[in-house]
Amino acid sequence: MTQHLAETLPTTTGTLPGWWREAVIYQVYPRSFADSNGDGMGDLEGIRSRLPYLKELGVDAVWLSPFYASPQADAGYDVADYRAIDPMFGTLHDADAVIREAHELGLRIIVDLVPNHCSDQHEWFKQALREGPGTPLRERFHFRPGRGADGSQPPNDWESIFGGPAWTRVADGEWYLHLFAPEQPDFNWEHPAVQDEFRSVLRFWLDLGVDGFRIDVAHGLVKAPGLPDLGRGEQLKLLGNQVLPFFDQDGVHEIYRSWRKVLDEYAGDRIGVAEAWTPSADRTALYLRPDELHQAFNFHYLTTGWDAAALRATIDESLDAMRPVGAPTTWVLSNHDVVRHATRFADGDPAAGLRRARAAALLMLALPGSAYVYQGEELGLPEVVDLPDEVRQDPSFFKQNGQDGLRDGCRVPLPWSGTEAPYGFGDGGSWLPQPAEWAGLSVAAQTGDPGSTLELYRSALRIRRERADLGAGDAVEWLPSPEGVLAFRRGSFVCTVNTTAEAVAMAAPGTVLLASAELEPGEPGTLPADTAVWWQG
């Protein structure tokens, strides 16, 4: 039944753009969104109950981070069964209910898929361990003998993203590859059984009615032949800066061509979204050729600082890279793996960080293409930087020489209502503690307050929906502007953004539609510090 509901949502054909070209997609991190059963952990029923909030916010689609059966060694990105729901989140019936009710509200659902690696508790991997060296199941992973006279050294010098060697030795002496945690063995995508299995997984969820997949580590599936040494340490610093023997290999594109054929079997414009850390926007565009995926996260934009010249350069580069392949550019400010942008932009001043975050939101939503909103950014939530060590769960926190291990700070559960924690998240506390100051940032506290960040997002998304010159497109018309100010036109719409710490005087390009900060009465052309304004030109 759900599949038929998906097919009734608006679709496009021929030369018209697909829905994803201008969609605003909201990322839900399930364990931190809403808890329905009082166990302190968010779940699918909690998500279902809050879908009307997302509809009212004005987004077009909802991306759900993993909810599959998992030992939770890496917050669900270690999948033991791709067709089952982890009991902490609910049941397959609950997942079906989320998809069905989202469609009834006119929302689309994108689910996370984790194809680079699985859990060490996946049946394939457990069987591979039992069967031993040289057996067929081991060929579905990267098992190798060690180096050195006694095989006690890893097969090559690759490092785990989470710190330490990317290899773990098993009892029979062989080593297996894991680019992330030891509990996350990498699949061998040269093996046809792996390819067949994931095409089957795609169809399982497409049959259930999902509208697309966010593909975790989309750049990592194929490894260079022979698994050659990289030849240097501190490999984490190279990520996203150059093609590596384990990332962004050209062989990944044949995989996504086969996936695109599966997606195209289904009505309703089902899509694939790549999480692809690449050295350049041009390399990212290769994932989005007409016979491959539909979107890729714009990490080059996410990592650009609050600086007008740098932002303009990244915007131009992003639009220029996507244009030849006919793909929409995407814009993203935060997600479950990075410090929230209200804190990233703060430079030690929380008030300045919030001002810049509000302005950054209007800039992002004014740009042509698709935008991603990470849960809580519409509330202006800052990073929680003072979590006690004993509550942290990020696996890289317990490693050395890997990621900073502080991803828990952006994963603290949302505040919905009330003056004390857990602020309506659920009846049984929250798996990470929420700060006392979040009482004033809850959905209930901000609803109806015209100066709140939540109402700013609601207004911006409403205007974006109503205006034909916003959303899809592949270009902006830059306008003359003072140093430190961005100004561009899209049809009769104009966006101006002051990234400096001082007010800037400039001629008003029209009538104010929306501003991220209060403007001086009688001086509509004066842009306050760290402020964005939308104009009817």
Side-chain angles (χ1 to χ4, degrees):
M1 182 173 84
T2 308
Q3 181 183 345
H4 296 304
L5 282 170
E7 293 172 2
T8 66
L9 291 172
T11 60
T12 54
T13 57
T15 59
L16 294 176
W19 65 269
W20 66 90
R21 294 184 177 277
E22 58 184 2
V24 176
I25 301 172
Y26 186 99
Q27 181 187 359
V28 164
Y29 193 68
R31 62 172 56 202
S32 298
F33 191 66
D35 172 22
S36 70
N37 60 8
D39 65 356
M41 190 72 66
D43 47 44
L44 288 168
E45 174 58 22
I47 294 169
R48 188 200 61 77
S49 71
R50 297 293 188 176
L51 288 173
Y53 164 77
L54 298 178
K55 175 65 175 179
E56 182 185 3
L57 181 62
V59 300
D60 303 294
V62 181
W63 153 32
L64 303 177
S65 290
F67 47 75
Y68 309 108
S70 167
Q72 303 295 322
D74 183 23
Y77 283 93
D78 51 317
V79 180
D81 188 339
Y82 290 87
R83 298 175 182 83
I85 308 300
D86 195 284
M88 70 187 291
F89 295 126
T91 66
L92 194 59
H93 174 78
D94 295 326
D96 179 76
V98 169
I99 297 166
R100 183 176 64 252
E101 294 196 27
H103 288 162
E104 290 171 355
L105 289 169
L107 297 169
R108 299 178 190 267
I109 292 291
I110 296 170
V111 297
D112 228 309
L113 190 62
V114 189
N116 178 71
H117 49 263
C118 63
S119 166
D120 61 356
Q121 299 305 303
H122 191 286
E123 281 302 319
W124 281 10
F125 191 74
K126 291 195 294 184
Q127 187 175 348
L129 290 181
R130 290 193 300 267
E131 292 188 357
T135 54
L137 259 293
R138 290 216 169 178
E139 295 177 3
R140 298 179 183 183
F141 301 91
H142 295 279
F143 279 91
R144 296 289 188 277
R147 295 197 287 198
D150 58 357
S152 63
Q153 298 300 311
N156 67 22
D157 66 356
W158 295 359
E159 297 173 358
S160 164
I161 305 304
F162 289 161
W167 296 89
T168 289
R169 198 177 194 187
V170 300
D172 55 45
E174 283 201 327
W175 298 71
Y176 68 88
L177 176 68
H178 54 86
L179 291 179
F180 294 86
E183 297 89 348
Q184 295 169 293
D186 279 43
F187 284 113
N188 173 16
W189 272 88
E190 301 295 329
H191 199 291
V194 175
Q195 299 184 27
D196 289 345
E197 168 67 0
F198 273 91
R199 284 191 290 265
S200 175
V201 170
L202 290 174
R203 290 189 176 97
F204 176 87
W205 289 102
L206 289 166
D207 287 343
L208 202 62
V210 303
D211 300 284
F213 302 89
R214 177 266 189 185
I215 303 159
D216 184 63
V217 195
H219 54 294
L221 277 53
V222 172
K223 279 67 175 177
L227 309 185
D229 282 341
L230 188 54
R232 61 168 292 178
E234 297 187 310
Q235 295 171 14
L236 190 65
K237 296 180 180 178
L238 305 179
L239 301 182
N241 296 318
Q242 65 185 63
V243 177
L244 300 172
F246 46 81
F247 279 162
D248 199 29
Q249 292 287 305
D250 289 338
V252 299
H253 299 292
E254 191 59 40
I255 295 168
Y256 297 130
R257 290 186 187 100
S258 74
W259 286 21
R260 180 59 177 262
K261 292 176 181 177
V262 174
L263 292 168
D264 287 348
E265 292 173 8
Y266 290 80
D269 285 341
R270 317 298 176 92
I271 71 167
V273 182
E275 182 207 28
W277 289 88
T278 70
S280 68
D282 290 334
R283 291 288 303 181
T284 300
L286 297 178
Y287 292 77
L288 307 177
R289 287 173 287 196
D291 59 346
E292 293 191 43
L293 301 174
H294 300 76
Q295 284 188 353
F297 290 118
N298 189 344
F299 293 117
H300 305 288
Y301 186 74
L302 184 150
T303 56
T304 301
W306 186 242
D307 175 83
L311 286 165
R312 176 168 174 169
T314 300
I315 292 166
D316 282 340
E317 177 189 359
S318 301
L319 293 170
D320 290 347
M322 296 300 113
R323 202 173 291 118
V325 295
T329 308
T330 65
W331 313 101
V332 59
L333 294 167
S334 285
N335 64 32
H336 65 291
D337 281 333
V338 300
V339 173
R340 287 187 177 275
H341 60 278
T343 297
R344 283 205 324 274
F345 293 155
D347 294 328
D349 181 349
L354 180 58
R355 288 197 308 273
R356 292 165 186 163
R358 289 166 58 91
L362 291 196
L363 170 59
M364 174 181 76
L365 294 171
L367 293 170
S370 178
Y372 281 78
V373 173
Y374 177 52
Q375 64 175 44
E377 75 172 73
E378 79 277 14
L379 304 177
L381 295 186
E383 186 82 356
V384 181
V385 297
D386 56 354
L387 289 170
D389 290 356
E390 59 268 21
V391 305
R392 292 188 178 276
Q393 298 191 25
D394 184 348
S396 57
F397 179 75
F398 305 98
K399 301 284 186 179
Q400 292 183 348
N401 303 319
Q403 292 179 328
D404 60 19
L406 303 179
R407 294 180 298 168
D408 294 314
C410 64
R411 301 175 178 183
V412 174
L414 294 189
W416 291 94
S417 61
T419 58
E420 295 181 353
Y423 305 115
F425 171 69
D427 295 331
S430 60
W431 68 281
L432 286 173
Q434 301 155 301
E437 57 269 23
W438 278 19
L441 298 178
S442 73
V443 172
Q446 295 196 44
T447 295
D449 177 0
S452 72
T453 301
L454 175 57
E455 294 298 349
L456 177 72
Y457 269 76
R458 285 172 170 164
S459 296
L461 291 171
R462 174 182 53 78
I463 294 170
R464 180 183 165 105
R465 285 195 310 275
E466 293 172 349
R467 296 191 63 96
D469 42 13
L470 291 180
D474 64 3
V476 299
E477 176 191 351
W478 293 108
L479 304 175
S481 60
E483 185 175 358
V485 174
L486 295 170
F488 60 87
R489 178 184 300 277
R490 298 187 63 201
S492 63
F493 170 90
V494 175
C495 178
T496 57
V497 187
N498 179 8
T499 67
T500 75
E502 303 292 336
V504 174
M506 58 182 295
T511 304
V512 174
L513 293 171
L514 187 63
S516 65
E518 188 173 352
L519 302 180
E520 290 293 332
E523 296 185 64
T526 299
L527 287 180
D530 298 319
T531 296
V533 182
W534 286 4
W535 310 83
Q536 170 61 48

